[in-house]
Amino acid sequence: MTYCLGIRVKKGLVAIADTRITSGSETTSAKKISIHKQGHNNIFLMTSGLRSVRDKAVTYFEEVLESEGNHFDKMYKAVNAFGEQLRRVAKEDKASLAESGISFNLFTIVGGQLEKDKDHKLYLLYPEGNWIEIGEATPFTIIGNSGYGTPILKRTLTYNSSLNFAIKTGFLSFDSTRVSANDVGYPVDMVIYHKDTGFMHEARFEESETAYFGNAWGEKLKAAIKEIPEDWINDLVSTVEKKGKDSIVRQIQEAQQQ
């Protein structure tokens, strides 16, 4: 499985992707995020799905950027171009994959800001090549293993959150997924884009470099749980026990009536 997170806040974009690849009992690492030159700007791609589909679609897309890149002055045009290459790969490989019992599958997150974009953009592409734009109401999207890392983002992150806050909650979202899913893990890659700059910063982190962050989060969670009053639990237990007794009484009465 994969964990790829894209965040769009007012001041910029954050992209976080794990690198763990699990095949049977074997575990390896592979880069799941890539930055592509687009005129004087850059865009990033993150993918979750079949590696062979990803590599082929990205290769085709890079060729398009080399030959037609200067024509993409808005993000949606570049996203459409990648979607076209994804559909091209589907035409070439989908049938043969199906014959082998493998479903054609690739989800993609694309982010950036091109020459005529008034604002930075974030998109989610589906395997069919269609896409949605990530808006302000829910300023993030996750592909791959999304269940464990989503709650903290939904509870805390808004479009007006600072870029630093987006990075913090993004790392905590990744950490929550990492400790809960064996197929997501370090090293983790991160890309940061500051609005209107056109340039993207990229770095890779090992667990030893950020372990304190996850440990601090774990200790804070334990402390917060202990601080929640427990008086209400007695009422909860009483309610459960009463309903349990009522259920037993009903069962006895029904048995006697038979």
Side-chain angles (χ1 to χ4, degrees):
M1 185 62 77
T2 294
Y3 175 88
C4 293
L5 166 67
I7 298 175
R8 175 179 176 255
V9 291
K10 191 173 184 178
K11 294 297 185 180
L13 301 169
V14 177
I16 297 175
D18 87 313
T19 57
R20 182 167 294 181
I21 301 291
T22 303
S23 178
S25 60
E26 296 184 2
T27 300
T28 58
S29 294
K31 194 174 178 65
K32 300 172 185 176
I33 185 169
S34 56
I35 295 178
H36 304 268
K37 187 73 175 176
Q38 171 52 41
H40 297 294
N41 302 304
N42 294 291
I43 64 176
F44 67 76
L45 296 174
M46 289 189 291
T47 58
S48 172
L50 290 176
R51 189 72 187 185
S52 61
V53 173
R54 181 262 180 204
D55 289 350
K56 199 171 186 179
V58 170
T59 298
Y60 287 169
F61 181 61
E62 288 176 340
E63 289 184 344
V64 171
L65 290 180
E66 290 174 3
S67 61
E68 304 177 27
N70 291 333
H71 297 161
F72 300 146
D73 53 7
K74 289 191 174 183
M75 278 295 298
Y76 82 86
K77 297 179 182 180
V79 173
N80 280 342
F82 184 79
E84 290 174 2
Q85 301 313 308
L86 187 55
R87 285 189 287 269
R88 176 184 171 187
V89 177
K91 289 180 180 179
E92 295 174 351
D93 297 347
K94 191 172 184 178
S96 58
L97 287 171
E99 290 176 1
S100 301
I102 302 173
S103 298
F104 183 90
N105 181 33
L106 191 74
F107 289 84
T108 310
I109 298 174
V110 185
Q113 182 179 7
L114 299 184
E115 181 181 354
K116 292 186 178 180
D117 287 318
K118 294 180 180 180
D119 205 354
H120 47 294
K121 304 287 185 178
L122 188 67
Y123 298 86
L124 170 63
L125 279 86
Y126 298 98
E128 295 77 15
N130 58 319
W131 51 262
I132 60 171
E133 183 176 352
I134 306 305
E136 297 181 12
T138 305
F140 71 91
T141 185
I142 301 175
I143 54 176
N145 201 326
S146 62
Y148 301 109
T150 296
I152 185 173
L153 296 169
K154 283 190 173 182
R155 288 176 179 270
T156 62
L157 186 69
T158 70
Y159 180 71
N160 290 314
S161 297
S162 69
L163 203 55
N164 280 358
F165 187 81
I167 294 169
K168 177 165 63 174
T169 54
F171 257 116
L172 293 179
S173 174
F174 161 74
D175 187 72
S176 297
T177 305
R178 175 189 66 83
V179 300
S180 302
N182 293 330
D183 49 8
V184 172
Y186 283 94
V188 61
D189 292 324
M190 182 169 69
V191 170
I192 301 173
Y193 172 73
H194 295 272
K195 180 181 179 179
D196 297 330
T197 62
F199 184 75
M200 293 183 174
H201 305 268
E202 182 180 19
R204 171 167 290 189
F205 298 96
E206 300 291 342
E207 184 173 1
S208 58
E209 298 177 274
T210 61
Y212 70 94
F213 202 58
N215 293 336
W217 171 237
E219 292 303 317
K220 290 288 186 181
L221 278 177
K222 293 176 184 177
I225 292 173
K226 290 180 180 178
E227 290 174 3
I228 295 175
E230 296 186 1
D231 295 345
W232 60 273
I233 295 179
N234 291 329
D235 294 335
L236 181 66
V237 171
S238 297
T239 300
V240 172
E241 291 177 346
K242 182 178 183 304
K243 288 185 177 181
K245 291 178 181 177
D246 291 344
S247 176
I248 293 174
V249 170
R250 285 197 301 271
Q251 292 176 11
I252 294 173
Q253 291 173 342
E254 290 172 359
Q256 291 175 342
Q257 293 173 358
Q258 291 178 356

